Each structure stands twice: as structure tokens, then as C-alpha cells.
Amino acid sequence: LSLMDLMLVCNIVPKMAVNFLSGRKSISFVGCGIQIGLFVSLVGSEGLLLGLMAYDRYVAISHPLHYPILISQRVCLQIAGGSWAFGILDGMIQIVATMTFPYCGSRNVDHFFCEVPALLNLACADPSLFENLLFACYFFMVLLPFSIIMASYSHILAAVPHMHSAQTRKEALATCSSHLTAVSLFYGPAMFIYLRLKRYRTPSHDKVVSVFYTVLTPILN
């Protein structure tokens, strides 16, 4: 998670700072493609990892004696590797599909970094089919980890009242608070941006909300 957050900040913030300080708000076509690929891969990986981390919290609180077996070193490696593989695959698919569209006329990307929806607005060909597929992809990418989070914390909330001491309950809730904060700051803005239909989206809102999961949440993590 630390590596993902560090890479996510380094993918966007340095270029954004250079553009802001120099006044030359430009990026090459190849650079834009690399930024999209890294961004989608890292966000997809982190989203799934945050979901699987909720399962880790559930096992630690509800089944503490079985934790070394259920969350073994092998399982930890599978969680990390699966998250990276899921994100990289999604990033490769989106970058290939996005960069094969023909772009003509305006080259002004109305965003502070290269993002797929902002770039598709400049495409000469009709991207409607790809945008619909993209919406379905975003829905799956958010729904799968979010379902794991909701299921895990439902079981945690059911288990906490049955704990014998107030101190144990306090420790259990404290264990979850940092993760819940990260989840809220990551999934809230992401769902606001990617799970809205195109006609309800405005570039100004997207820019402000994007700051949360591209800059603020990684830095806080």
C-alpha cells in the first residue's frame, strides 16, 4: 500500500508542480499514455488491496486465534500479488484502448493530469461504446472491493458488542478507524466521479474531487 501510494503521488504531483511553476501546461502524447497506464494500474490495485485489507481486519478481530493460519505469509503474498496483477491488467487494457483513438482538433485536456474520460472528450471517433464498457468496468472495480469491505465490517460490527471488556472493544474499533478513513477518502470521491453518467459530469467538479484520491489520500496513508 505504501509503495502504491508513493508511486501514485510521484506519477501526478511532480508533473503538475512543474506545469504550475513553469506556466508551460503541456505533456507529450507518450507521456500522457504512461501517466494514464500508471494511474489506472495503481488506482485499481489500491482499490482491491483496501478491500482485501478489510478481510484482514475481520479475521484479526473475529478470529484472532486462527489469524496466523487464515492470514499466513503465503496468503499475504497472494493478496499483494493479486492486487498488483488486477490493477496492471486493467491499466494495460485501458491504455491500449484509449491511445488507439484518433485525436484531432483541440489538444486541451481539461484536467490537471491525463485521465481516460478527459482524454476521450478530445477523440474524433465516437467513443460511446468504449465509454459504456468503461462505466461497466469502473462499476465492477468499485463494487467488488466495496462488497468485501461492507461484508467484513458488517461481521466486525456484529462481533464487537459480544466482546467481554470495554478495552477490547475500544482496541478493535481503533484498529479499524485508520482503514475506514482511507477507504472513505478513496472510495467516496472515486464513486462520485466514475459511477456517474457522462451527462452529469462537469470538469470543474472532477478536478476538485480527484485531488482526494490522487493526492490527499496517498499522502495521508
Side-chain angles (χ1 to χ4, degrees):
L1 182 65
S2 299
L3 180 60
M4 288 174 184
D5 285 327
L6 182 64
M7 291 176 67
L8 188 57
V9 170
C10 291
N11 180 43
I12 294 171
V13 174
K15 181 62 179 173
M16 181 177 67
V18 168
N19 287 344
F20 178 76
L21 294 172
S22 67
R24 291 182 63 253
K25 298 179 180 179
S26 64
I27 188 170
S28 67
F29 188 72
V30 174
C32 188
I34 292 172
Q35 195 175 64
I36 287 174
L38 285 172
F39 171 74
V40 174
S41 298
L42 293 167
V43 168
S45 298
E46 182 162 341
L48 182 58
L49 186 62
L50 284 171
L52 294 172
M53 284 171 67
Y55 172 72
D56 172 77
R57 300 296 194 279
Y58 157 70
V59 175
I61 292 170
S62 300
H63 305 283
L65 297 178
H66 296 136
Y67 184 85
I69 300 171
L70 295 174
I71 308 293
S72 62
Q73 186 70 24
R74 181 183 176 184
V75 173
C76 286
L77 291 173
Q78 288 174 342
I79 287 173
S83 300
W84 278 107
F86 175 79
I88 290 170
L89 177 63
D90 185 49
M92 292 297 293
I93 293 171
Q94 288 200 37
I95 188 176
V96 170
T98 304
M99 302 312 280
T100 52
F101 273 95
Y103 296 95
C104 54
S106 173
R107 299 295 176 94
N108 181 30
V109 180
D110 195 4
H111 215 311
F112 60 84
F113 71 103
C114 281
E115 191 180 28
V116 174
L119 206 62
L120 290 178
N121 290 332
L122 308 179
C124 299
D126 183 15
S128 300
L129 177 61
F130 179 60
E131 285 177 335
N132 291 334
L133 292 173
L134 207 59
F135 181 81
C137 178
Y138 289 149
F139 186 80
F140 174 75
M141 286 176 65
V142 171
L143 183 65
L144 175 63
F146 198 70
S147 299
I148 298 172
I149 292 168
M150 293 300 293
S152 298
Y153 277 107
S154 296
H155 284 88
I156 289 171
L157 289 174
V160 167
H162 296 92
M163 292 179 177
H164 298 296
S165 67
Q167 182 63 27
T168 306
R169 289 194 293 269
K170 185 178 179 181
E171 288 175 357
L173 293 174
T175 302
C176 301
S177 61
S178 60
H179 180 252
L180 276 174
T181 302
V183 166
S184 302
L185 289 172
F186 184 88
Y187 276 100
M191 291 171 75
F192 178 79
I193 288 180
Y194 295 112
L195 297 187
R196 286 184 302 159
L197 296 176
K198 185 179 179 180
R199 61 177 177 269
Y200 298 119
R201 299 184 61 176
T202 58
S204 58
H205 288 166
D206 287 357
K207 289 177 197 175
V208 174
V209 178
S210 294
V211 172
F212 281 90
Y213 64 90
T214 58
V215 180
L216 184 60
T217 303
I219 289 174
L220 287 175
N221 283 343

